[in-house]
Amino acid sequence: MAVVSEYTDTLLPIRWPDERRSSYDVVIVGGGGHGLSTAYHLATRQGITNVAVLEADYIASGNTGRNTTIIRANYGIPEAIRFYQHSLEMYQRLEDETGAAILHQTKGIVWLAHTEMAMRTERARCLMNTANGAQTFMRTPAELKELIPELDLTGGGRYPVLGGSHHVEGATARHDRVAWAYASGASQRGVDIFQHTPVTGLLRDGDRVVGVETADGPFAAGTVLSAVGGRVTEMTAHAGVRLPVRTHPLHAFVTNDYAQGFSPIVASTELMCYVSQTERGQMLIGAEFDAQPSYSRQSSFAALRSYSYKITRLLPFLRDLRILRTWAGICDISADFSPILGFTGVDGFLVTTGWGTWGFKAIPAGGEAMAELIATGRPPALIAPFALDRFRRDHVLADQGSAGTR
Amino acid sequence: MLWLDCPHCGRRPLDEFSFGGERRSVPDSITDADERDFDEVWVFENPDGLTTERWFHAAGCRRWLTVRRDTAIDQVVDVVP
Ligand SMILES: Cc1cc2nc3c(=O)[nH]c(=O)nc-3n(C[C@H](O)[C@H](O)[C@H](O)COP(=O)(O)OP(=O)(O)OC[C@H]3O[C@@H](n4cnc5c(N)ncnc54)[C@H](O)[C@@H]3O)c2cc1C
Ligand SMILES: [Zn+2]
């Protein structure tokens, strides 16, 4: 009980608006992490506070409140490593900056390799990471066993652990608290957050988007940002913008408490599964997204079976635990497994999408950069490579191997 | 979704199949040649509802099937032989 009340007692307040203004400089569609972080950074970094965030359900009800909260920067291409490392460092400072207890914990994340091919990939990852400012180092099986005593180095006799990369700054944080921290900070500075307000269309003036349509009437806006997670295809279609994005479900589950502390986050890119321990002691397990796109958030037995099979090869003690809760989110996965953020080709209409199964870690830096883009009209260097027009310019940023385990 | 009815092999677990992507064509309303190329190569319709797509029976008859599926609930509507 003490934990629960301390938890709710330390939530910062959100100022909910009584009524809407006649027009806003910026309307953000979607009250997930990316929408709220953009609103927060518009208010705190750009001095733009005439902003509304419109959320169809309640804030963080989408993927932001459903993810497994892994924060890491061990990606495979320089553009991504630099971006995610910046976001990881923003997370390290977020409690100090906002005063919100987001339960940030640096744990380190280990990516296991079961074949020579995977060892080569992880060695290359370490070099690429350290060259771009992320701290990732190779570990021997003996070193891994020391980090994770529960690890079966034979991988159940099928997936021997030949080594792995250790990304020492890997971390986790409470997802709903991150959303709440940004919502609180934004609303205290004048941003209006409307829950239960689905956007049903976009207002046009000629070729320009000038606001959004809702059941409560229109909201006029200088700029509209779509930050709707897996629902992005239908949102941008209102402006005639067609995207290289598919919506796939991703599942996760937690077990009952594991009495021992289990410190690092452990993942296998070849097996495509990962596990960490929550602050309550439960083991949190996730794996790869469903092969076929869908908008269903129903947990599936097929996913549970496959995730359980894989993770118990590596950590046999998990067999003695029981699955307590399962859930799923619908993820906006881009064709090259990198995010898409910035201009859409339609004036007044911007997008932040392609966050797929890996965009929680990006919430601080993604929002900061989108806020700067909205304020200045120019994409900051950190996100310029992630523009939608990269597909038209043949500059895709293929990085599927780094997206695999969140 | 757990099973798929293969017209050649019968009811089989989904694990035996691999997803081959939605069946689509570039809308006629797009006339610019570069835009048509972009659309053809990269864009997905990604509908929330009925879609027609290809599945490969990898661990069975190794034939390509055309499947109609409702993505809102992830259920197969029918398999077009
Ligand atoms: C099971 C799972 C595990 C994951 N694990 C990780 C992880 O470990 N690390 C990591 O970095 N990422 C992870 N992710 C990915 C991460 O959760 C997402 O990339 C991130 O939360 C995206 O944030 P968002 O704000 O873009 O979208 P969302 O949080 O989905 O927010 C979009 C919001 O828009 C609202 N909306 C939709 N349509 C409308 C409309 N018409 N009008 C108004 N509002 C609308 C929705 O209700 C929703 O609240 C995981 C995802 C899942 C599902
Ligand atoms: Zn068959």
Side-chain angles (χ1 to χ4, degrees):
Chain A
M1 284 313 277
V3 179
V4 173
S5 63
E6 186 193 328
Y7 185 77
T8 48
D9 285 354
T10 55
L11 272 183
L12 299 177
I14 293 177
R15 179 194 62 82
W16 303 106
D18 298 323
E19 55 188 36
R20 85 187 116 115
R21 300 171 207 166
S22 58
S23 80
Y24 288 93
D25 294 335
V26 183
V27 164
I28 297 171
V29 188
H34 280 278
L36 294 167
S37 169
T38 303
Y40 173 87
H41 288 98
L42 279 169
T44 57
R45 306 293 201 275
Q46 309 298 337
I48 298 177
T49 55
N50 186 24
V51 176
V53 177
L54 309 185
E55 164 55 44
D57 201 341
Y58 58 92
I59 59 170
S61 57
N63 294 341
T64 298
R66 295 162 185 269
N67 69 82
T68 47
T69 78
I70 298 172
I71 300 163
R72 57 178 179 85
N74 58 340
Y75 279 69
I77 54 176
E79 294 86 347
I81 299 163
R82 285 195 288 266
F83 172 81
Y84 290 112
Q85 179 65 25
H86 179 61
S87 205
L88 177 151
E89 290 170 13
M90 288 179 75
Y91 262 121
Q92 292 171 340
R93 298 189 299 265
L94 192 56
E95 295 202 342
D96 286 342
E97 177 177 332
T98 60
I102 61 158
L103 312 187
H104 180 274
Q105 259 189 299
T106 299
K107 300 174 169 176
I109 177 163
V110 171
W111 279 20
L112 304 173
H114 312 293
T115 61
E116 268 311 320
M117 182 74 158
M119 285 293 283
R120 278 202 290 278
T121 304
E122 293 316 304
R123 282 191 205 105
R125 181 184 312 286
C126 290
L127 294 173
M128 184 73 94
N129 280 194
T130 43
N132 288 285
Q135 298 178 48
T136 313
F137 309 102
M138 285 308 284
R139 301 285 185 234
T140 63
E143 289 168 335
L144 291 170
K145 187 77 186 166
E146 210 158 297
L147 276 170
I148 317 150
E150 293 90 342
L151 184 63
D152 176 1
L153 288 177
T154 76
R158 263 196 80 180
Y159 303 100
V161 177
L162 305 187
S165 68
H166 185 200
H167 180 52
V168 295
E169 287 186 295
T172 57
R174 269 300 294 242
H175 42 26
D176 50 334
R177 291 227 146 198
V178 170
W180 201 269
Y182 283 132
S184 170
S187 70
Q188 300 302 336
R189 290 171 177 85
V191 172
D192 285 352
I193 302 171
F194 297 88
Q195 302 193 104
H196 309 292
T197 308
V199 168
T200 53
L202 297 173
L203 300 174
R204 307 280 291 263
D205 179 8
D207 289 339
R208 215 189 141 78
V209 168
V210 294
V212 302
E213 201 76 70
T214 75
D216 304 332
F219 283 69
T223 301
V224 173
L225 169 66
S226 165
V228 294
R231 299 242 153 236
V232 67
T233 299
E234 64 192 66
M235 187 52 55
T236 64
H238 292 307
V241 175
R242 295 164 62 76
L243 293 175
V245 170
R246 284 188 282 199
T247 299
H248 291 261
L250 177 68
H251 308 262
F253 65 80
V254 284
T255 67
N256 55 333
D257 291 2
Y258 177 51
Q260 262 108 291
F262 185 91
S263 148
I265 307 158
V266 180
S268 159
T269 43
E270 281 170 291
L271 277 171
M272 299 253 269
C273 61
Y274 60 97
V275 59
S276 69
Q277 190 174 37
T278 70
E279 72 275 10
R280 283 182 283 184
Q282 306 170 331
M283 301 305 290
L284 173 57
I285 291 155
E288 84 279 24
F289 56 84
D290 289 0
Q292 72 277 20
S294 131
Y295 289 80
S296 166
R297 295 197 294 201
Q298 198 108 57
S299 287
S300 87
F301 175 72
L304 289 187
R305 187 180 57 184
S306 131
Y307 292 18
S308 307
Y309 171 80
K310 294 194 255 188
I311 203 73
T312 52
R313 294 314 97 179
L314 302 172
L315 297 165
F317 79 91
L318 291 171
R319 291 198 183 108
D320 299 329
L321 301 176
R322 286 175 298 278
I323 295 175
L324 275 194
R325 266 182 328 115
T326 74
W327 64 92
I330 51 168
C331 302
D332 40 341
I333 296 181
S334 63
D336 62 356
F337 294 82
S338 290
I340 299 171
L341 57 170
F343 300 118
T344 59
V346 174
D347 282 347
F349 186 53
L350 305 175
V351 70
T352 178
T353 186
W355 292 115
T357 61
W358 54 87
F360 173 72
K361 64 181 72 64
I363 287 171
E368 180 192 50
M370 281 310 297
E372 185 179 334
L373 169 59
I374 291 168
T376 65
R378 280 187 311 277
L382 208 55
I383 60 160
F386 299 109
L388 172 60
D389 75 354
R390 71 176 180 269
F391 294 95
R392 292 185 173 82
R393 292 183 291 110
D394 293 331
H395 279 267
V396 295
L397 296 168
D399 198 13
Q400 180 167 13
S402 308
T405 50
R406 309 323 132 221
Chain B
M1 203 175 135
L2 276 178
W3 305 89
L4 205 63
D5 290 310
C6 176
H8 314 288
C9 313
R11 197 169 177 75
R12 311 293 304 179
L14 193 67
D15 298 5
E16 291 189 0
F17 299 83
S18 50
F19 178 66
E22 64 184 21
R23 196 169 218 197
R24 60 180 298 266
S25 49
V26 180
D28 293 339
S29 55
I30 301 175
T31 49
D32 179 78
D34 287 345
E35 275 306 299
R36 288 192 70 83
D37 285 350
F38 163 74
D39 208 275
E40 163 112 44
V41 175
W42 294 113
V43 168
F44 301 109
E45 300 298 338
N46 193 31
D48 179 7
L50 193 65
T51 183
T52 304
E53 57 201 13
R54 301 283 274 164
W55 286 81
F56 180 58
H57 197 177
C61 58
R62 300 194 62 77
R63 277 187 260 198
W64 282 95
L65 313 177
T66 301
V67 174
R68 292 199 308 153
R69 189 169 60 90
D70 182 352
T71 65
I73 51 171
D74 193 20
Q75 292 292 325
V76 172
V77 176
D78 54 18
V79 180
V80 186

